[in-house]
Amino acid sequence: MTKEKNFYLPSEWERQSYIQLTWPHAETDWAYMLEEVETCFLNIAHEIASRQPLLLVAPDFPEVLKDFKYIDNVTFVKCPTNDTWARDHAFICMTDPHADPQLLDFCFNGWGMKFAADKDNMINSRIKKHGIINGDYINRRDFVLEGGSIESDGKGTLLTTSLCLLSDNRNDVMSRKDIERYLIDCFNLKQVLWLDYGYLAGDDTDSHVDTLARLCPDDTIAYVKCNDTSDEHYNALLAMEEQLKTFRTTDGKPYRLLPLPMANAIYDDECIRLPATYANFLIMNNAILYPTYNQPNNDNEAAKVLSEAFPGREIVGIDCRALIKQHGSLHCVTMQYPESVYNGKQI
């Protein structure tokens, strides 16, 4: 007897296999600070590959990984790339315990055609052709969607932001109602929670939800809170907090809200504020990797909050001051894959 297929969008804290990194190189916007950012990527790779399989994408195998301690846990895919933001160009996977996973390939257009993305938009199909992941390829390139713009609890709730999904040059021919219906149908959802407030100065993504608020186990949302009334973000993040208080689970219960600290302002050489956020953490099977910014009080407070949100997981900080110089952080450069995607092949 064939069991009914019931695909769903898993939460990030469900069992995983690969975590993808798309490596920086001299033909990316990182060229002027390549050594600095490669050090950061090397630290991330170390923390990932010491715990889980690492899927590495790059035009050539990075020289800095030639003597990598955990090389046996790395699967390399040789592929042309524009940039490094795996969260936004990688597959978004649907799972079902009785079927192979679905590998959904959405259109990535450089966050509303702000940046070139022709090579990045082809990474998924190239990975699939290499034969190193299980799953059925699903072409969704008629819809623009980035992984950093959505959060799933694995129970039918999707959290997103209206500033991003309703922005120009993504799916602007569709209304909010159209997009919500598309998401519900595509991911078999029960509800979409739209955050209408909140932003970070220096953010290129039009307010990806993973810079602001994150779904966590046990009906919890960890979110960025600003306590400084003189900060430019204060009013918008306060409005976001008030809206989060109105959100309800599919059972009609309010969420447990855990405030993450707002990072102290960090500026680039042109005095442009950079989007430093503690919400941009990566959930792994047994650990949480979170960005730090050489701000001991804030870094430590963020770790405490994440320990409360994810009891039993190791909380590991990684200095991500290099990443924010190109307006992203740790979650932005990674993408996790469900356990069923792994087939153990290495090339």
Side-chain angles (χ1 to χ4, degrees), residues 209-254:
V209 72
D210 71 351
T211 68
L212 298 168
R214 302 288 305 280
L215 292 174
C216 305
D218 303 317
D219 298 330
T220 297
I221 298 177
Y223 69 100
V224 178
K225 181 179 177 65
C226 181
N227 292 313
D228 182 359
T229 57
S230 66
D231 191 290
E232 63 182 293
H233 300 95
Y234 178 80
N235 289 329
L237 292 178
L238 178 61
M240 182 184 79
E241 180 183 50
E242 292 302 313
Q243 188 178 22
L244 287 171
K245 291 177 181 178
T246 70
F247 285 169
R248 295 294 181 267
T249 69
T250 54
D251 295 329
K253 300 176 182 178

mmCIF file of all heavy atoms in Angstrom, residues 209-254:
data_model
loop_
_atom_site.group_PDB
_atom_site.id
_atom_site.type_symbol
_atom_site.label_atom_id
_atom_site.label_comp_id
_atom_site.label_asym_id
_atom_site.label_seq_id
_atom_site.Cartn_x
_atom_site.Cartn_y
_atom_site.Cartn_z
ATOM 1 N N VAL A 209 14.081 38.417 6.733
ATOM 2 C CA VAL A 209 13.627 38.098 8.078
ATOM 3 C C VAL A 209 14.766 37.550 8.937
ATOM 4 O O VAL A 209 14.764 37.729 10.165
ATOM 5 C CB VAL A 209 12.434 37.119 8.025
ATOM 6 C CG1 VAL A 209 12.879 35.722 7.607
ATOM 7 C CG2 VAL A 209 11.682 37.097 9.340
ATOM 8 N N ASP A 210 15.774 36.907 8.315
ATOM 9 C CA ASP A 210 16.843 36.323 9.126
ATOM 10 C C ASP A 210 17.820 37.358 9.667
ATOM 11 O O ASP A 210 18.761 37.006 10.380
ATOM 12 C CB ASP A 210 17.584 35.214 8.365
ATOM 13 C CG ASP A 210 18.458 35.705 7.222
ATOM 14 O OD1 ASP A 210 18.390 36.902 6.865
ATOM 15 O OD2 ASP A 210 19.218 34.884 6.666
ATOM 16 N N THR A 211 17.585 38.620 9.376
ATOM 17 C CA THR A 211 18.352 39.687 10.012
ATOM 18 C C THR A 211 17.601 40.291 11.196
ATOM 19 O O THR A 211 18.169 41.078 11.957
ATOM 20 C CB THR A 211 18.668 40.826 9.017
ATOM 21 O OG1 THR A 211 17.459 41.498 8.653
ATOM 22 C CG2 THR A 211 19.350 40.286 7.769
ATOM 23 N N LEU A 212 16.327 39.919 11.350
ATOM 24 C CA LEU A 212 15.450 40.596 12.302
ATOM 25 C C LEU A 212 14.821 39.674 13.335
ATOM 26 O O LEU A 212 14.830 39.982 14.534
ATOM 27 C CB LEU A 212 14.332 41.324 11.543
ATOM 28 C CG LEU A 212 14.771 42.427 10.584
ATOM 29 C CD1 LEU A 212 13.604 42.843 9.688
ATOM 30 C CD2 LEU A 212 15.320 43.621 11.352
ATOM 31 N N ALA A 213 14.212 38.569 12.880
ATOM 32 C CA ALA A 213 13.463 37.691 13.784
ATOM 33 C C ALA A 213 13.548 36.268 13.281
ATOM 34 O O ALA A 213 13.400 36.015 12.082
ATOM 35 C CB ALA A 213 12.002 38.137 13.877
ATOM 36 N N ARG A 214 13.741 35.326 14.211
ATOM 37 C CA ARG A 214 13.961 33.928 13.834
ATOM 38 C C ARG A 214 13.022 33.010 14.623
ATOM 39 O O ARG A 214 12.891 33.118 15.842
ATOM 40 C CB ARG A 214 15.411 33.525 14.119
ATOM 41 C CG ARG A 214 16.457 34.380 13.405
ATOM 42 C CD ARG A 214 16.521 34.106 11.924
ATOM 43 N NE ARG A 214 16.735 32.691 11.644
ATOM 44 C CZ ARG A 214 17.927 32.091 11.717
ATOM 45 N NH1 ARG A 214 19.015 32.791 12.053
ATOM 46 N NH2 ARG A 214 18.051 30.803 11.445
ATOM 47 N N LEU A 215 12.396 32.092 13.914
ATOM 48 C CA LEU A 215 11.618 31.065 14.567
ATOM 49 C C LEU A 215 12.553 30.069 15.251
ATOM 50 O O LEU A 215 13.578 29.681 14.694
ATOM 51 C CB LEU A 215 10.739 30.335 13.553
ATOM 52 C CG LEU A 215 9.593 31.157 12.944
ATOM 53 C CD1 LEU A 215 8.902 30.358 11.843
ATOM 54 C CD2 LEU A 215 8.595 31.569 14.013
ATOM 55 N N CYS A 216 12.168 29.649 16.448
ATOM 56 C CA CYS A 216 12.946 28.721 17.255
ATOM 57 C C CYS A 216 12.008 27.652 17.805
ATOM 58 O O CYS A 216 10.784 27.796 17.728
ATOM 59 C CB CYS A 216 13.635 29.457 18.414
ATOM 60 S SG CYS A 216 14.681 30.847 17.915
ATOM 61 N N PRO A 217 12.561 26.575 18.377
ATOM 62 C CA PRO A 217 11.695 25.510 18.893
ATOM 63 C C PRO A 217 10.735 25.999 19.976
ATOM 64 O O PRO A 217 10.935 27.045 20.592
ATOM 65 C CB PRO A 217 12.700 24.500 19.462
ATOM 66 C CG PRO A 217 13.975 24.765 18.747
ATOM 67 C CD PRO A 217 13.987 26.232 18.485
ATOM 68 N N ASP A 218 9.701 25.200 20.196
ATOM 69 C CA ASP A 218 8.734 25.438 21.273
ATOM 70 C C ASP A 218 8.037 26.786 21.130
ATOM 71 O O ASP A 218 7.858 27.527 22.107
ATOM 72 C CB ASP A 218 9.411 25.327 22.653
ATOM 73 C CG ASP A 218 10.071 23.967 22.853
ATOM 74 O OD1 ASP A 218 9.445 22.961 22.497
ATOM 75 O OD2 ASP A 218 11.209 23.937 23.345
ATOM 76 N N ASP A 219 7.645 27.102 19.887
ATOM 77 C CA ASP A 219 6.854 28.307 19.615
ATOM 78 C C ASP A 219 7.535 29.566 20.162
ATOM 79 O O ASP A 219 6.922 30.402 20.841
ATOM 80 C CB ASP A 219 5.445 28.174 20.206
ATOM 81 C CG ASP A 219 4.680 27.017 19.590
ATOM 82 O OD1 ASP A 219 4.930 26.697 18.417
ATOM 83 O OD2 ASP A 219 3.837 26.420 20.296
ATOM 84 N N THR A 220 8.811 29.674 19.838
ATOM 85 C CA THR A 220 9.633 30.795 20.298
ATOM 86 C C THR A 220 10.106 31.606 19.098
ATOM 87 O O THR A 220 10.383 31.055 18.039
ATOM 88 C CB THR A 220 10.847 30.264 21.082
ATOM 89 O OG1 THR A 220 10.383 29.569 22.242
ATOM 90 C CG2 THR A 220 11.772 31.392 21.511
ATOM 91 N N ILE A 221 10.195 32.921 19.274
ATOM 92 C CA ILE A 221 10.790 33.799 18.272
ATOM 93 C C ILE A 221 11.884 34.614 18.953
ATOM 94 O O ILE A 221 11.639 35.299 19.948
ATOM 95 C CB ILE A 221 9.749 34.754 17.642
ATOM 96 C CG1 ILE A 221 8.663 33.960 16.913
ATOM 97 C CG2 ILE A 221 10.438 35.727 16.678
ATOM 98 C CD1 ILE A 221 7.557 34.825 16.326
ATOM 99 N N ALA A 222 13.102 34.499 18.437
ATOM 100 C CA ALA A 222 14.210 35.351 18.876
ATOM 101 C C ALA A 222 14.303 36.523 17.917
ATOM 102 O O ALA A 222 14.303 36.336 16.701
ATOM 103 C CB ALA A 222 15.522 34.559 18.882
ATOM 104 N N TYR A 223 14.367 37.717 18.447
ATOM 105 C CA TYR A 223 14.284 38.910 17.594
ATOM 106 C C TYR A 223 15.219 39.999 18.102
ATOM 107 O O TYR A 223 15.609 40.018 19.282
ATOM 108 C CB TYR A 223 12.850 39.438 17.563
ATOM 109 C CG TYR A 223 12.391 40.022 18.889
ATOM 110 C CD1 TYR A 223 12.377 41.393 19.107
ATOM 111 C CD2 TYR A 223 11.998 39.181 19.937
ATOM 112 C CE1 TYR A 223 11.976 41.929 20.327
ATOM 113 C CE2 TYR A 223 11.595 39.706 21.157
ATOM 114 C CZ TYR A 223 11.588 41.079 21.347
ATOM 115 O OH TYR A 223 11.200 41.610 22.561
ATOM 116 N N VAL A 224 15.571 40.905 17.212
ATOM 117 C CA VAL A 224 16.465 42.007 17.558
ATOM 118 C C VAL A 224 15.677 43.100 18.270
ATOM 119 O O VAL A 224 14.640 43.567 17.765
ATOM 120 C CB VAL A 224 17.135 42.581 16.304
ATOM 121 C CG1 VAL A 224 18.021 43.767 16.672
ATOM 122 C CG2 VAL A 224 17.952 41.509 15.590
ATOM 123 N N LYS A 225 16.170 43.505 19.421
ATOM 124 C CA LYS A 225 15.524 44.566 20.200
ATOM 125 C C LYS A 225 16.499 45.724 20.395
ATOM 126 O O LYS A 225 17.654 45.493 20.766
ATOM 127 C CB LYS A 225 15.072 44.045 21.568
ATOM 128 C CG LYS A 225 14.366 45.097 22.438
ATOM 129 C CD LYS A 225 13.925 44.492 23.753
ATOM 130 C CE LYS A 225 13.277 45.527 24.667
ATOM 131 N NZ LYS A 225 12.010 46.054 24.114
ATOM 132 N N CYS A 226 16.053 46.920 20.134
ATOM 133 C CA CYS A 226 16.876 48.113 20.317
ATOM 134 C C CYS A 226 16.392 48.885 21.529
ATOM 135 O O CYS A 226 15.213 49.277 21.597
ATOM 136 C CB CYS A 226 16.804 48.984 19.061
ATOM 137 S SG CYS A 226 17.813 50.484 19.157
ATOM 138 N N ASN A 227 17.280 49.099 22.488
ATOM 139 C CA ASN A 227 16.926 49.836 23.707
ATOM 140 C C ASN A 227 17.388 51.290 23.688
ATOM 141 O O ASN A 227 17.041 52.058 24.589
ATOM 142 C CB ASN A 227 17.528 49.132 24.928
ATOM 143 C CG ASN A 227 16.886 47.789 25.191
ATOM 144 O OD1 ASN A 227 15.660 47.666 25.181
ATOM 145 N ND2 ASN A 227 17.709 46.768 25.418
ATOM 146 N N ASP A 228 18.145 51.666 22.685
ATOM 147 C CA ASP A 228 18.696 53.015 22.595
ATOM 148 C C ASP A 228 17.725 53.910 21.820
ATOM 149 O O ASP A 228 17.595 53.793 20.602
ATOM 150 C CB ASP A 228 20.056 52.969 21.901
ATOM 151 C CG ASP A 228 20.729 54.329 21.806
ATOM 152 O OD1 ASP A 228 20.140 55.330 22.256
ATOM 153 O OD2 ASP A 228 21.850 54.377 21.252
ATOM 154 N N THR A 229 17.062 54.800 22.512
ATOM 155 C CA THR A 229 16.052 55.649 21.861
ATOM 156 C C THR A 229 16.666 56.605 20.841
ATOM 157 O O THR A 229 15.948 57.130 19.987
ATOM 158 C CB THR A 229 15.274 56.462 22.906
ATOM 159 O OG1 THR A 229 16.201 57.247 23.682
ATOM 160 C CG2 THR A 229 14.492 55.551 23.837
ATOM 161 N N SER A 230 17.968 56.816 20.906
ATOM 162 C CA SER A 230 18.622 57.699 19.943
ATOM 163 C C SER A 230 19.083 56.955 18.691
ATOM 164 O O SER A 230 19.517 57.585 17.722
ATOM 165 C CB SER A 230 19.825 58.395 20.592
ATOM 166 O OG SER A 230 20.846 57.468 20.926
ATOM 167 N N ASP A 231 18.986 55.636 18.708
ATOM 168 C CA ASP A 231 19.402 54.835 17.552
ATOM 169 C C ASP A 231 18.367 54.976 16.442
ATOM 170 O O ASP A 231 17.159 54.964 16.687
ATOM 171 C CB ASP A 231 19.548 53.368 17.962
ATOM 172 C CG ASP A 231 20.227 52.518 16.892
ATOM 173 O OD1 ASP A 231 19.600 52.291 15.836
ATOM 174 O OD2 ASP A 231 21.373 52.088 17.110
ATOM 175 N N GLU A 232 18.824 55.020 15.196
ATOM 176 C CA GLU A 232 17.915 55.190 14.063
ATOM 177 C C GLU A 232 16.945 54.026 13.897
ATOM 178 O O GLU A 232 15.905 54.158 13.246
ATOM 179 C CB GLU A 232 18.715 55.351 12.766
ATOM 180 C CG GLU A 232 19.553 54.133 12.391
ATOM 181 C CD GLU A 232 20.358 54.344 11.122
ATOM 182 O OE1 GLU A 232 19.744 54.463 10.047
ATOM 183 O OE2 GLU A 232 21.602 54.410 11.226
ATOM 184 N N HIS A 233 17.266 52.880 14.486
ATOM 185 C CA HIS A 233 16.412 51.707 14.342
ATOM 186 C C HIS A 233 15.343 51.607 15.424
ATOM 187 O O HIS A 233 14.469 50.731 15.338
ATOM 188 C CB HIS A 233 17.266 50.432 14.407
ATOM 189 C CG HIS A 233 18.301 50.334 13.348
ATOM 190 N ND1 HIS A 233 19.609 50.739 13.545
ATOM 191 C CD2 HIS A 233 18.238 49.889 12.069
ATOM 192 C CE1 HIS A 233 20.297 50.529 12.439
ATOM 193 N NE2 HIS A 233 19.494 50.012 11.527
ATOM 194 N N TYR A 234 15.399 52.465 16.428
ATOM 195 C CA TYR A 234 14.582 52.261 17.628
ATOM 196 C C TYR A 234 13.088 52.142 17.308
ATOM 197 O O TYR A 234 12.426 51.182 17.705
ATOM 198 C CB TYR A 234 14.819 53.397 18.632
ATOM 199 C CG TYR A 234 13.959 53.258 19.868
ATOM 200 C CD1 TYR A 234 14.318 52.387 20.888
ATOM 201 C CD2 TYR A 234 12.775 53.996 20.004
ATOM 202 C CE1 TYR A 234 13.525 52.236 22.021
ATOM 203 C CE2 TYR A 234 11.977 53.855 21.126
ATOM 204 C CZ TYR A 234 12.359 52.972 22.131
ATOM 205 O OH TYR A 234 11.562 52.824 23.240
ATOM 206 N N ASN A 235 12.549 53.092 16.585
ATOM 207 C CA ASN A 235 11.105 53.107 16.351
ATOM 208 C C ASN A 235 10.649 51.926 15.500
ATOM 209 O O ASN A 235 9.620 51.293 15.790
ATOM 210 C CB ASN A 235 10.682 54.425 15.693
ATOM 211 C CG ASN A 235 10.764 55.597 16.641
ATOM 212 O OD1 ASN A 235 10.583 55.453 17.849
ATOM 213 N ND2 ASN A 235 11.050 56.779 16.109
ATOM 214 N N ALA A 236 11.406 51.614 14.457
ATOM 215 C CA ALA A 236 11.008 50.511 13.576
ATOM 216 C C ALA A 236 11.079 49.167 14.298
ATOM 217 O O ALA A 236 10.192 48.319 14.144
ATOM 218 C CB ALA A 236 11.894 50.489 12.332
ATOM 219 N N LEU A 237 12.110 48.969 15.121
ATOM 220 C CA LEU A 237 12.232 47.706 15.836
ATOM 221 C C LEU A 237 11.240 47.611 16.984
ATOM 222 O O LEU A 237 10.783 46.513 17.327
ATOM 223 C CB LEU A 237 13.669 47.523 16.333
ATOM 224 C CG LEU A 237 14.701 47.301 15.227
ATOM 225 C CD1 LEU A 237 16.105 47.188 15.814
ATOM 226 C CD2 LEU A 237 14.374 46.060 14.407
ATOM 227 N N LEU A 238 10.876 48.748 17.557
ATOM 228 C CA LEU A 238 9.817 48.740 18.572
ATOM 229 C C LEU A 238 8.485 48.343 17.941
ATOM 230 O O LEU A 238 7.723 47.537 18.505
ATOM 231 C CB LEU A 238 9.705 50.113 19.228
ATOM 232 C CG LEU A 238 8.604 50.261 20.290
ATOM 233 C CD1 LEU A 238 8.840 49.296 21.446
ATOM 234 C CD2 LEU A 238 8.527 51.703 20.785
ATOM 235 N N ALA A 239 8.199 48.894 16.765
ATOM 236 C CA ALA A 239 6.970 48.534 16.058
ATOM 237 C C ALA A 239 6.976 47.053 15.689
ATOM 238 O O ALA A 239 5.945 46.372 15.749
ATOM 239 C CB ALA A 239 6.807 49.400 14.811
ATOM 240 N N MET A 240 8.159 46.529 15.309
ATOM 241 C CA MET A 240 8.276 45.102 15.014
ATOM 242 C C MET A 240 7.973 44.261 16.244
ATOM 243 O O MET A 240 7.236 43.265 16.177
ATOM 244 C CB MET A 240 9.681 44.790 14.494
ATOM 245 C CG MET A 240 9.888 43.338 14.101
ATOM 246 S SD MET A 240 11.587 42.940 13.584
ATOM 247 C CE MET A 240 12.386 42.805 15.202
ATOM 248 N N GLU A 241 8.520 44.670 17.369
ATOM 249 C CA GLU A 241 8.279 43.943 18.614
ATOM 250 C C GLU A 241 6.794 43.916 18.960
ATOM 251 O O GLU A 241 6.245 42.868 19.350
ATOM 252 C CB GLU A 241 9.078 44.583 19.756
ATOM 253 C CG GLU A 241 8.898 43.887 21.095
ATOM 254 C CD GLU A 241 9.658 44.598 22.205
ATOM 255 O OE1 GLU A 241 9.515 45.833 22.329
ATOM 256 O OE2 GLU A 241 10.391 43.908 22.939
ATOM 257 N N GLU A 242 6.137 45.055 18.803
ATOM 258 C CA GLU A 242 4.708 45.120 19.106
ATOM 259 C C GLU A 242 3.909 44.217 18.176
ATOM 260 O O GLU A 242 2.931 43.578 18.594
ATOM 261 C CB GLU A 242 4.207 46.566 19.015
ATOM 262 C CG GLU A 242 4.764 47.474 20.105
ATOM 263 C CD GLU A 242 4.442 46.966 21.505
ATOM 264 O OE1 GLU A 242 3.262 46.613 21.751
ATOM 265 O OE2 GLU A 242 5.363 46.897 22.349
ATOM 266 N N GLN A 243 4.312 44.135 16.912
ATOM 267 C CA GLN A 243 3.616 43.245 15.992
ATOM 268 C C GLN A 243 3.873 41.787 16.342
ATOM 269 O O GLN A 243 2.955 40.951 16.263
ATOM 270 C CB GLN A 243 4.024 43.530 14.550
ATOM 271 C CG GLN A 243 3.182 42.751 13.541
ATOM 272 C CD GLN A 243 3.532 43.047 12.102
ATOM 273 O OE1 GLN A 243 4.628 43.514 11.797
ATOM 274 N NE2 GLN A 243 2.596 42.788 11.206
ATOM 275 N N LEU A 244 5.103 41.457 16.725
ATOM 276 C CA LEU A 244 5.406 40.083 17.131
ATOM 277 C C LEU A 244 4.515 39.639 18.287
ATOM 278 O O LEU A 244 4.119 38.468 18.370
ATOM 279 C CB LEU A 244 6.878 39.966 17.534
ATOM 280 C CG LEU A 244 7.907 40.004 16.402
ATOM 281 C CD1 LEU A 244 9.319 40.098 16.973
ATOM 282 C CD2 LEU A 244 7.790 38.772 15.509
ATOM 283 N N LYS A 245 4.179 40.553 19.169
ATOM 284 C CA LYS A 245 3.316 40.227 20.317
ATOM 285 C C LYS A 245 1.909 39.830 19.869
ATOM 286 O O LYS A 245 1.200 39.127 20.597
ATOM 287 C CB LYS A 245 3.238 41.413 21.274
ATOM 288 C CG LYS A 245 4.537 41.715 22.005
ATOM 289 C CD LYS A 245 4.395 42.949 22.885
ATOM 290 C CE LYS A 245 5.688 43.291 23.600
ATOM 291 N NZ LYS A 245 5.561 44.536 24.416
ATOM 292 N N THR A 246 1.505 40.277 18.685
ATOM 293 C CA THR A 246 0.158 39.965 18.188
ATOM 294 C C THR A 246 0.103 38.636 17.437
ATOM 295 O O THR A 246 -0.977 38.117 17.172
ATOM 296 C CB THR A 246 -0.357 41.069 17.252
ATOM 297 O OG1 THR A 246 0.377 41.048 16.010
ATOM 298 C CG2 THR A 246 -0.229 42.436 17.887
ATOM 299 N N PHE A 247 1.274 38.087 17.059
ATOM 300 C CA PHE A 247 1.298 36.852 16.282
ATOM 301 C C PHE A 247 0.851 35.672 17.144
ATOM 302 O O PHE A 247 1.123 35.608 18.342
ATOM 303 C CB PHE A 247 2.697 36.587 15.742
ATOM 304 C CG PHE A 247 3.100 37.464 14.585
ATOM 305 C CD1 PHE A 247 4.416 37.490 14.147
ATOM 306 C CD2 PHE A 247 2.182 38.273 13.932
ATOM 307 C CE1 PHE A 247 4.803 38.285 13.074
ATOM 308 C CE2 PHE A 247 2.553 39.071 12.859
ATOM 309 C CZ PHE A 247 3.864 39.071 12.437
ATOM 310 N N ARG A 248 0.199 34.726 16.483
ATOM 311 C CA ARG A 248 -0.277 33.526 17.166
ATOM 312 C C ARG A 248 0.138 32.282 16.392
ATOM 313 O O ARG A 248 0.237 32.296 15.170
ATOM 314 C CB ARG A 248 -1.818 33.549 17.296
ATOM 315 C CG ARG A 248 -2.347 34.675 18.185
ATOM 316 C CD ARG A 248 -1.928 34.481 19.638
ATOM 317 N NE ARG A 248 -2.428 35.530 20.520
ATOM 318 C CZ ARG A 248 -1.766 36.630 20.850
ATOM 319 N NH1 ARG A 248 -0.549 36.850 20.316
ATOM 320 N NH2 ARG A 248 -2.280 37.503 21.677
ATOM 321 N N THR A 249 0.365 31.206 17.116
ATOM 322 C CA THR A 249 0.648 29.928 16.495
ATOM 323 C C THR A 249 -0.617 29.405 15.831
ATOM 324 O O THR A 249 -1.710 29.962 15.991
ATOM 325 C CB THR A 249 1.142 28.906 17.529
ATOM 326 O OG1 THR A 249 0.039 28.576 18.405
ATOM 327 C CG2 THR A 249 2.285 29.476 18.359
ATOM 328 N N THR A 250 -0.487 28.304 15.093
ATOM 329 C CA THR A 250 -1.675 27.714 14.476
ATOM 330 C C THR A 250 -2.646 27.177 15.524
ATOM 331 O O THR A 250 -3.813 26.914 15.216
ATOM 332 C CB THR A 250 -1.277 26.584 13.513
ATOM 333 O OG1 THR A 250 -0.450 25.633 14.199
ATOM 334 C CG2 THR A 250 -0.518 27.155 12.319
ATOM 335 N N ASP A 251 -2.181 27.034 16.769
ATOM 336 C CA ASP A 251 -3.053 26.630 17.876
ATOM 337 C C ASP A 251 -3.657 27.820 18.599
ATOM 338 O O ASP A 251 -4.367 27.654 19.602
ATOM 339 C CB ASP A 251 -2.275 25.781 18.890
ATOM 340 C CG ASP A 251 -1.813 24.456 18.306
ATOM 341 O OD1 ASP A 251 -2.522 23.930 17.431
ATOM 342 O OD2 ASP A 251 -0.748 23.960 18.704
ATOM 343 N N GLY A 252 -3.357 29.027 18.094
ATOM 344 C CA GLY A 252 -3.934 30.226 18.683
ATOM 345 C C GLY A 252 -3.212 30.761 19.901
ATOM 346 O O GLY A 252 -3.727 31.642 20.599
ATOM 347 N N LYS A 253 -1.996 30.276 20.140
ATOM 348 C CA LYS A 253 -1.238 30.704 21.310
ATOM 349 C C LYS A 253 -0.212 31.772 20.936
ATOM 350 O O LYS A 253 0.337 31.748 19.838
ATOM 351 C CB LYS A 253 -0.522 29.504 21.936
ATOM 352 C CG LYS A 253 -1.445 28.392 22.395
ATOM 353 C CD LYS A 253 -0.646 27.200 22.907
ATOM 354 C CE LYS A 253 -1.577 26.068 23.328
ATOM 355 N NZ LYS A 253 -0.811 24.872 23.781
ATOM 356 N N PRO A 254 0.067 32.702 21.838
ATOM 357 C CA PRO A 254 1.125 33.687 21.571
ATOM 358 C C PRO A 254 2.489 33.020 21.595
ATOM 359 O O PRO A 254 2.683 31.985 22.244
ATOM 360 C CB PRO A 254 0.981 34.693 22.714
ATOM 361 C CG PRO A 254 0.338 33.925 23.819
ATOM 362 C CD PRO A 254 -0.566 32.922 23.158
#
